């Protein structure tokens, strides 16, 4: 994509991250991770490949992408393993 389009997407990403942070949601950008991860406290873990905000939805380009949500107190160990893995990849700023 062209530089102007890239800059506009970056601005939108920054604005979205700011909105989430203002709502009390921790946002971090990490390098070299394809899956999308959402962690809610110690009892919600959602992971998958689905591009929640940018997936193509028109039939010609749509892909079969999924995310799975897990709930329950037994997720604490799995969540901590994922957090530790992601901490090593946190970027100083969004891409």
């Amino acid at each position: 994509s062209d530089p102007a389009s890239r800059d506009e997407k970056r601005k939108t990403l920054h604005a979205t991250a700011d909105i989430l942070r203002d709502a009390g949601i921790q946002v971090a950008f990490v390098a070299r991770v394809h899956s999308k991860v959402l962690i809610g406290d110690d009892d919600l873990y959602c992971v998958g490949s689905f591009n929640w905000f940018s997936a193509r939805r028109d039939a010609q380009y749509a892909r079969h992408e999924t995310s799975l949500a897990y709930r329950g107190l037994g997720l604490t160990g799995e969540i901590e393993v994922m957090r530790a893995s992601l901490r090593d990849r946190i970027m100083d700023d969004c891409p």
Side-chain angles (χ1 to χ4, degrees):
S1 69
D2 66 273
S5 175
R6 235 185 341 254
D7 286 344
E8 189 60 35
K9 288 179 183 179
R10 186 173 289 119
K11 286 178 188 176
T12 300
L13 182 59
H14 274 282
T16 302
D18 289 342
I19 290 167
L20 292 170
R21 288 182 181 119
D22 288 347
I25 298 169
Q26 182 181 358
V27 176
F29 296 98
V30 294
R32 300 179 321 274
V33 175
H34 177 73
S35 63
K36 285 58 173 185
V37 177
L38 181 131
I39 298 171
D41 297 324
D42 291 325
D43 64 349
L44 173 64
Y45 178 69
C46 181
V47 63
S49 63
F50 184 69
N51 294 307
W52 298 325
F53 301 115
S54 63
R56 297 293 301 259
R57 290 175 171 72
D58 47 323
Q60 181 181 1
Y61 299 104
R63 297 179 186 206
H64 179 76
E65 297 192 59
T66 60
S67 292
L68 297 173
Y70 302 91
R71 288 188 170 273
L73 296 176
L75 295 169
T76 305
E78 184 67 28
I79 288 171
E80 194 46 48
V81 167
M82 179 56 75
R83 282 182 175 149
S85 173
L86 294 173
R87 267 187 223 111
D88 293 339
R89 298 171 181 269
I90 290 178
M91 301 168 62
D92 293 331
D93 197 7
C94 77

